[in-house]
Amino acid sequence: MSTDSIALLRKNAGQDIRALAQEHFKHDLQDSDRDALTSAAGKISTHVTVGSALGLALGAFLAFRLRRTRMQMFNAFRAHEKPTHVKFADGREEALPDVTAYMKPSALGDVAAYTFFGFGGLFLGGESGLLTGSAAAARRITGDPESRERIETAFRRFRADVLRKEADELDKKKSVAEYLGL
């Protein structure tokens, strides 16, 4: 598993790459293009925030439903008459232990349910928000064909500069471990 799959562990772009992006942002784009990109970034942020909140609410609701269902099942199990002995074919009789206490829902189970359902809902909602926000941002950017062409050209130039910079860094380093910072 790559560390890039978890957002907290992703390496942020260095200051030099950020400065390079700002240069391309200032010199290769017009004001309307910059406004379109800023608006698109805001759309993604809004969609992710709303999706995460909805996902967290859904997770909490499902955890509540699960807790209530577990409690109802326990109460139904406790109310029914249970066998107390087992009689074998040879006439021997063995007592069965009462397992009711072991089946009772616990506070630890409730905490686990709310935690895992909450994190699952947060992940599901956040990723769904990212998908819908990306689609909305793409529509915003591709709305004007001329602006789209300028943005794509600026991005290609920026990406080429970043790749040149990375290639220069690879040429300077002596080993892969040194490049990876190990």
Side-chain angles (χ1 to χ4, degrees), residues 109-166:
D110 294 342
V111 168
Y114 278 102
T115 300
F116 290 123
F117 275 88
F119 282 143
L122 184 66
F123 177 75
L124 185 65
E127 293 299 319
S128 299
L130 182 62
L131 288 173
T132 60
S134 296
R139 282 192 307 272
R140 173 70 173 101
I141 291 172
T142 59
D144 179 18
E146 293 171 1
S147 177
R148 174 184 176 188
E149 186 62 36
R150 286 189 300 269
I151 291 170
E152 287 176 350
T153 301
F155 179 74
R156 278 194 301 275
R157 288 179 184 162
F158 166 70
R159 190 70 186 131
D161 286 347
V162 169
L163 289 173
R164 280 188 210 99
K165 186 168 186 48
E166 287 179 359

Side-chain angles (χ1 to χ4, degrees), residues 11-79:
K11 293 180 181 172
N12 293 330
Q15 288 294 87
D16 48 346
I17 293 177
R18 190 172 292 127
L20 183 64
Q22 282 294 347
E23 288 300 315
H24 281 280
F25 191 72
K26 287 179 186 174
H27 299 299
D28 294 348
L29 299 173
Q30 295 177 358
D31 287 337
S32 62
D33 301 336
R34 287 190 284 274
D35 292 342
L37 286 174
T38 304
S39 171
K43 280 189 178 289
I44 291 174
S45 177
T46 301
H47 280 250
V48 168
T49 302
V50 169
S52 296
L54 289 175
L56 190 59
L58 177 66
F61 173 72
L62 291 176
F64 175 75
R65 291 281 312 260
L66 177 70
R67 182 184 184 281
R68 190 172 66 194
T69 302
R70 281 185 7 224
M71 189 57 85
Q72 288 173 347
M73 287 178 61
F74 172 71
N75 289 335
F77 177 76
R78 187 173 56 179

